[in-house]
Amino acid sequence: MEAGILTLDDFRFAGKTVILRVDINSPIDPQTKRISNDNRIRKSAPTIRELSDAGARIVMLAHQGDTEDYHNLISLEEHAERLTTLLGRPVGFIDDIVGPAALEWVKALRDGEILLLNNVRYLTEEVSTFVNFVKLTPAQLAQTWLVRKLAPLADYYVCEAFAAAHRYSPSLVGFAEVLPAAGGRLFIEEFGALARVKETPKHPSVYVLGGARIADAFSMMKQVLSDGAADVVLTSGLTGEVMTLAKGYRLGEPTERLIEDKGLSPFVAAARELLATFGDRILSPVDFAIDNGGRRELKLEDLPVPHLLVDIGEETIARYTRVIQSAATIFVNGPAGVYEKPVSAKGTERLWNAIADAPGYSVIGGGDSVAAGAKFGVLDRMGYVCTSGGGMVRFLSGQELPVVTALRRAAQRYLETGK
Ligand code: 3PG
C-alpha cells in the first residue's frame, strides 16, 4: 500500500482477469493521423508486462483524443500494434468495447494474454461527466453500461492512468467501486513524485512557472504559495509578461495585443492580487528578448517595444539560475519563451539545464515543458518526468483527484471486507 492506495504487490494475479485502465493518449500527427510520440505507451509497458508475467488475463481500457472535436477520438488499433512491438508479445485489439464480440474475447483470454478494447471515449457515459457536467456519484458510475458489462467478468481493477486522474468517468472511478482496486506502478510513481513537491517538499522549494497556460500557472502559484509548498515562484513566458504588466510596466502593442487576443487580460488583475498577497516570493523577469531580425535583449526600462517579447533575457536567466541552484526542491512547468525557435530558445534551454544540473530534487511536467526537455537533452538528469498534464495541474492546484479518492476508498473497503 502506498499513500492509502493498494499496489500490484497487494494482489496475486495468476489466472485472474484484470481490468487495466491506462492513459496512452498520445500526440497524433494531424496529416497522417499516426502516433507522433509514444512516450505514454512506453511508460505504461512495465505494468502491462508485470501483470502478464504474473499470469493475469489483461483487459485494457484507454482513450485517445479529447472531446473538443469529435474527430479527435480515434481508434486504438495503432496503440495495440505499438504495444505488441514494445512488449514483444501480442496485444490483441478489438474494434468494440462492451459489445458481445468484446465480451466473448474477454471470457476467452488465457493466462498472460492481453487485450486492448477500443477507445472508451466512444461511449457517451465515459465523457458525460465532463462534457455535460452531469454530477454522478461513484455508485452511479458503477451502474454504467461499461462497468455493468465488464466488472462481472473481472477479478481486479488496476488504474495506471494518473494522467487522467482528474476525470470523473466510469472507466476511471466506477470499477473501483465494485472490484478490489490498485494503482499501477506508473500511477503510484507519478503520484509520489508530485506529492513530494507538493506535500513534503524540502526547503527552499522553487516553482518555475512559465508558458502560455496562465490559468493553470496562476492556480498552481496561488495554491503552492498559500500552503507553503513553494517558497519562491519564478515566472517567465506569457505568465511572466502578465506579471510584468501587473507591476505597472507597458510591454508594447504586439505583446499586449497577443495577451488580449488570447483572452488573458483579466489575469493582470489576478496577478496584482497575487503580488499584493505574496510580494517578493513571486519573481518576474527583469529583461526580455525580441526577434528583430536576430535576438536583441532589453531591460524593463526599455519597455514598451513595438516587437513581440519572445523570451526572457540574460539577467533574468542569471537571477533565476542562482535561485534554482540553491533550491532543495524544484518543480517546473511552462517554457520561458518560444523555445522552438533558435532566436528565443536561450531562456528555456539555460533554465532547463540549470534545473537538470541543480542538486535539488526536480520534477518537470506538461507536454511543452517535457518536449523542450527532450529537445535540449536534459530529461534523464531531471528527478522525475511527469506523463500527466491536466491531472498534475489540478493536483498542484489543491483540487481533489477523483481517481485517487476512488482508489483510496477501494483500499479501505478491501482491508475491511476483503472485496
Ligand atoms: C491528457 O492527455 O492529459 C490525458 O489523457 C487526459 O486527457 P483529457 O484532459 O482530455 O481528459
Side-chain angles (χ1 to χ4, degrees):
M1 183 125 119
E2 294 274 347
I5 296 173
L6 296 171
T7 73
L8 300 191
D9 300 325
D10 291 296
F11 300 136
R12 295 282 156 269
F13 291 106
K16 303 292 183 191
T17 301
V18 179
I19 309 273
L20 173 64
R21 175 57 157 104
V22 288
D23 190 329
I24 48 177
N25 187 27
S26 305
I28 300 291
D29 181 303
Q31 253 80 52
T32 63
K33 300 281 179 209
R34 308 259 316 158
I35 294 167
S36 58
N37 176 318
D38 64 359
N39 182 44
R40 280 186 178 160
I41 302 179
R42 286 176 184 278
K43 292 273 188 102
S44 305
T47 284
I48 304 168
R49 184 179 290 113
E50 183 177 341
L51 285 170
S52 170
D53 286 347
R57 304 164 179 202
I58 304 166
V59 183
M60 272 196 292
L61 285 169
H63 71 275
Q64 174 62 55
D66 54 39
T67 48
E68 274 166 32
D69 175 352
Y70 187 75
H71 296 99
N72 288 337
L73 300 179
I74 60 172
S75 164
L76 297 180
E77 190 168 6
E78 192 194 349
H79 302 65
E81 287 163 14
R82 296 253 183 167
L83 278 169
T84 298
T85 309
L86 277 169
L87 293 166
R89 63 191 80 175
V91 172
F93 170 77
I94 185 164
D95 181 14
D96 189 7
I97 309 167
V98 279
L103 300 183
E104 280 316 307
W105 194 332
V106 171
K107 286 184 209 154
L109 280 173
R110 285 177 303 190
D111 296 0
E113 285 186 348
I114 310 162
L115 169 64
L116 176 62
L117 302 174
N118 210 347
N119 193 338
V120 71
R121 287 193 176 172
Y122 287 155
L123 298 178
T124 314
E125 59 187 18
E126 179 70 6
V127 293
S128 61
T129 55
F130 53 94
V131 172
N132 302 323
F133 303 105
V134 185
K135 182 73 182 162
L136 299 178
T137 62
Q140 286 169 321
L141 288 175
Q143 283 304 310
T144 48
W145 187 243
L146 177 75
V147 180
R148 275 190 290 143
K149 287 285 170 182
L150 283 178
L153 305 182
D155 301 285
Y156 296 114
Y157 171 73
V158 173
C159 189
E160 186 65 318
F162 186 84
H166 56 301
R167 293 302 185 192
Y168 197 77
S169 292
S171 76
L172 290 153
V173 172
F175 288 105
E177 284 296 297
V178 291
L179 289 173
R185 300 291 183 209
L186 179 67
F187 190 104
I188 299 287
E189 189 183 283
E190 188 136 341
F191 185 42
L194 288 171
R196 194 165 157 189
V197 296
K198 171 74 168 57
E199 279 155 14
T200 54
K202 290 212 171 95
H203 295 277
S205 166
V206 176
Y207 276 57
V208 184
L209 300 178
R213 295 180 172 226
I214 297 191
D216 288 352
F218 274 34
S219 63
M220 288 188 280
M221 195 180 330
K222 187 169 180 190
Q223 179 64 32
V224 296
L225 285 168
S226 309
D227 67 16
D231 299 297
V232 176
V233 173
L234 309 177
T235 65
S236 60
L238 267 184
T239 306
E241 289 161 19
V242 168
M243 281 293 160
T244 308
L245 273 178
K247 286 183 169 172
Y249 293 94
R250 299 305 304 265
L251 305 176
E253 200 265 340
T255 309
E256 289 180 23
R257 185 157 32 92
L258 178 75
I259 289 171
E260 196 174 326
D261 289 351
K262 285 181 173 273
L264 301 174
S265 307
F267 285 102
V268 178
R272 264 190 221 111
E273 245 175 71
L274 285 169
L275 287 167
T277 313
F278 299 108
D280 54 15
R281 291 173 65 200
I282 303 174
L283 271 58
S284 60
V286 292
D287 55 357
F288 292 96
I290 58 169
D291 180 2
N292 187 13
R295 183 179 174 99
R296 190 162 80 77
E297 299 206 352
L298 33 93
K299 306 216 167 302
L300 285 177
E301 306 81 78
D302 303 325
L303 294 173
V305 277
H307 297 275
L308 203 58
L309 303 178
V310 289
D311 197 10
I312 53 173
E314 284 279 356
E315 178 58 28
T316 308
I317 296 170
R319 284 184 185 206
Y320 285 9
T321 299
R322 282 196 291 276
V323 179
I324 288 165
Q325 279 164 345
S326 60
T329 306
I330 308 154
F331 173 78
V332 56
N333 175 238
V338 187
Y339 73 89
E340 297 89 340
K341 294 192 182 161
V343 75
S344 43
K346 188 193 264 182
T348 309
E349 181 167 12
R350 294 260 300 272
L351 290 187
W352 267 220
N353 270 288
I355 294 164
D357 293 339
Y361 175 68
S362 56
V363 173
I364 182 167
D368 270 353
S369 309
V370 174
K375 182 178 158 99
F376 303 133
V378 300
L379 292 181
D380 56 357
R381 288 182 283 135
M382 298 278 185
Y384 191 75
V385 180
C386 289
T387 59
S388 60
M392 171 196 77
V393 168
R394 284 170 181 83
F395 178 68
L396 295 177
S397 301
Q399 293 171 30
E400 182 205 357
L401 294 178
V403 180
V404 170
T405 308
L407 290 176
R408 284 182 170 154
R409 197 171 39 240
Q412 202 58 42
R413 189 189 65 233
Y414 184 74
L415 294 178
E416 283 162 18
T417 66
K419 289 185 188 154

